Amino acid sequence: MKYSEKVMDHFTNPRNVGEIENADGVGVVGNAKCGDIMKMYLKIDENDVIVDCKFKTFGCGAAIATSSMATELVKGHTVEEALKLTNSAVVEALEGLPPVKVHCSVLAEEAIKTAVADYYNKIGRPVDFEIEKAHDEE
Amino acid sequence: MRASNLKTRERSLNLARFVYADNAATTPVSRQVLDAMLPCFLEDWGNPSSLHEKGRDAKDILDDARARVAAVLGADASEIYFTSGGTESDNWAIRGAAMRLRAKGKNRIVTSKIEHHAVLHTCEALAKEGFEVVYVGVDEDGVVKLDELRASLNDKTAIVSIMYANNEVGTIQPVEEIGNIAHEFGALFHTDAVQAVGQVDIDLSKLPVDMLSLSGHKLHAPKGIGALYIRRGVVIGNLIEGGGQEKRKRGGTENLPYIVGLAKAMEIAKEKLKDLPRVAKMRDKLIEELTKIPYSKLNGHRTKRLPGNANIGFEFIEGESMLLWLDIAGVCASTGSACSSASLDPSHVLLAMGVPHERAHGSLRLSISHDTTDEDIDYIIETLPPIIEKLRNMSPLWEDVVKKEGARV
């Protein structure tokens, strides 16, 4: 199995690792049993723009790289735009993932959406979107 | 590692050091083994079944190699059958015995939960063909539970197949007791000794073993060669039909260069058994130093383990990430994490030992050899802690522990 250079770049030098205190939205997805957990923090301004995004991930190289790429792809965008982020867009931005690792990108998409749902709940906006789960069991 | 390979790799990657600690996966062919093989490609290339001079020469070389393999194991030459490797030997032993003994009304197969997939998948296939398969459990050190083994046996049991030593956690099984229990019930006893040969002194003249599988590429012979020992008097069905080779038990023109390589490698391995305490000492240093890292635990038995195997679980991080960083640092190792395989489940061996999923994902297997040096060990001990710290610092699980217990890496 071989990772693309882009994946290895984001794995060895992950962007936006860390926590955001008083984040506007937090999403934790995956589980330790399956070997990957992603935690996404979003800082959102009054115009619904994601001004900051940080992550912490327990997982394989692909899980770390997809987390890192996902934060880059949503930072500076509105939550509306972030909700349009698909796992395949993350895979594409990483110049591909080995087939067995594609579920990691689904987890990244799930993490962003879960964090946005948390934000919606906090501000009392209805969660009007579906979240695809990377793992069947929790 | 051999110096020439090592230098090239260090130069090309600008590494401080290159350490191959994945000998349980495979080993390089040694120069002495290759030198022994080369004449069989260039001069002694005859078919041992041919009547003419080239064939007779090849037959002499084949007989000699078989006798040498047998001598290393305390067996008779007539009890050694060459195969394509450990997987074929396991398939043949179990399927051959099961098929043969079904005719006598024996339809039970007893194995353990920690076998290699060559054994487990063969048993699963036989279960689909109507055999009753019982998987015996292991204790937390990975030792087969003998009372459970005894309870799973009956007079309808065709074969018991339990590995000599485990490939992941290195635990050595009480083979003699297992064989005796199998025989009490009139069952054949097969052992997959792919990891054990070369790391444990095996004398088949003294062990209650009916069949034993071994593989060349774990002991510096090439991939694609192995053997099955079948004790004289034990009759099993064939797996590969062909032109009457191996006393009509295993078809296919004998792979003479590889067979010669295997014989040479086994003789060298036997000779090097006396150097194993040095290897075990390096293993112990790895275990001692690496388990000083907080939230780490040795997997497998502390003393009843292969001299080259150290398997340690690190909590709150995932194995593949650890391997990638180790690889960048020039260290080749292995993990029981699901993320290094196609499934979401981590190592079946660790789960059978009762290791929780979370910890199984963070397991690291370092398998060293005679070629490993003290400097290699020091390098691993120095390289790993910062990697674990780096990964823990970005792990949400670690974050929780730090908040709760104020833990530090």
Side-chain angles (χ1 to χ4, degrees), chain A residues 1 3 8 11-14 17-19 28 32-39 41 55-62 64 100-101 103-104 134-135 137, chain B residues 315-322 324-325 328 337-346 357-358 361-362 390-397 399-400 403:
Chain A
M1 199 190 68
Y3 284 130
M8 286 310 290
F11 169 70
T12 53
N13 180 25
V17 179
E19 297 163 59
V28 185
K33 200 166 172 263
C34 293
D36 39 25
I37 298 177
M38 284 182 195
K39 192 168 183 181
Y41 298 84
F55 80 94
K56 281 209 171 173
T57 291
F58 157 83
C60 62
I64 290 170
V100 295
K101 298 293 188 180
H103 87 274
C104 292
H135 299 149
E137 45 175 347
Chain B
E315 286 187 76
F316 319 116
I317 57 172
E318 190 279 328
E320 193 211 80
S321 298
M322 218 179 343
L324 289 169
W325 277 116
I328 289 166
S337 165
C339 282
S340 65
S341 69
S343 87
L344 280 180
D345 275 325
H357 275 76
E358 294 86 317
H361 283 295
K390 191 176 350 218
L391 292 171
R392 280 184 176 167
N393 279 339
M394 61 189 298
S395 164
L397 298 170
E399 180 184 311
D400 296 344
K403 280 176 186 158

Side-chain angles (χ1 to χ4, degrees), chain B residues 178-251:
Chain B
I178 293 169
N180 287 335
I181 294 170
H183 289 165
E184 273 177 46
F185 291 84
L188 289 175
F189 175 44
H190 163 253
T191 187
D192 172 347
V194 165
Q195 296 289 333
V197 173
Q199 288 207 58
V200 180
D201 195 5
I202 298 173
D203 184 355
L204 288 168
S205 71
K206 292 188 179 128
L207 282 174
V209 169
D210 299 305
M211 290 184 278
L212 176 142
S213 300
L214 65 90
S215 167
H217 77 103
K218 308 292 187 184
L219 41 118
H220 304 279
K223 293 148 190 72
I225 188 69
L228 180 65
Y229 157 86
I230 309 176
R231 184 178 291 281
R232 206 181 301 171
V234 171
V235 183
I236 65 169
N238 291 358
L239 184 71
I240 296 178
E241 301 291 353
Q245 291 86 358
E246 302 293 283
K247 293 186 287 179
R248 302 194 178 184
K249 298 298 293 172
R250 200 276 187 182

Side-chain angles (χ1 to χ4, degrees), chain B residues 46 70 114 138 165 173 224 233 273 290 319:
Chain B
I114 62 161
V138 296
Q173 301 299 335
L273 285 174
L290 295 180

Side-chain angles (χ1 to χ4, degrees), chain B residues 337-388:
Chain B
S337 165
C339 282
S340 65
S341 69
S343 87
L344 280 180
D345 275 325
S347 149
H348 67 285
V349 176
L350 295 172
L351 295 183
M353 288 160 58
V355 175
H357 275 76
E358 294 86 317
R359 229 182 57 225
H361 283 295
S363 73
L364 176 71
R365 180 186 71 183
L366 297 160
S367 46
I368 59 172
S369 77
H370 297 283
D371 296 337
T372 310
T373 64
D374 289 329
E375 287 74 25
D376 291 339
I377 299 296
D378 290 343
Y379 183 68
I380 295 172
I381 291 167
E382 175 187 313
T383 306
L384 192 58
I387 291 175
I388 289 172

Side-chain angles (χ1 to χ4, degrees), chain A residues 1-93:
Chain A
M1 199 190 68
K2 200 168 179 286
Y3 284 130
S4 70
E5 273 181 39
K6 198 91 180 171
V7 171
M8 286 310 290
D9 173 33
H10 276 262
F11 169 70
T12 53
N13 180 25
R15 320 320 190 238
N16 307 310
V17 179
E19 297 163 59
I20 299 176
E21 273 187 52
N22 306 317
D24 299 298
V26 180
V28 185
V29 297
N31 62 69
K33 200 166 172 263
C34 293
D36 39 25
I37 298 177
M38 284 182 195
K39 192 168 183 181
M40 267 317 157
Y41 298 84
L42 301 176
K43 189 83 197 159
I44 299 162
D45 72 6
E46 62 283 2
N47 299 318
D48 260 7
V49 173
I50 299 169
V51 290
D52 199 8
C53 177
K54 290 204 185 296
F55 80 94
K56 281 209 171 173
T57 291
F58 157 83
C60 62
I64 290 170
T66 52
S67 311
S68 165
M69 182 53 88
T71 60
E72 288 235 294
L73 291 174
V74 300
K75 215 167 148 176
H77 292 266
T78 62
V79 287
E80 196 68 20
E81 286 164 338
L83 286 173
K84 289 188 188 129
L85 178 73
T86 60
N87 78 299
S88 44
V90 177
V91 174
E92 206 175 302

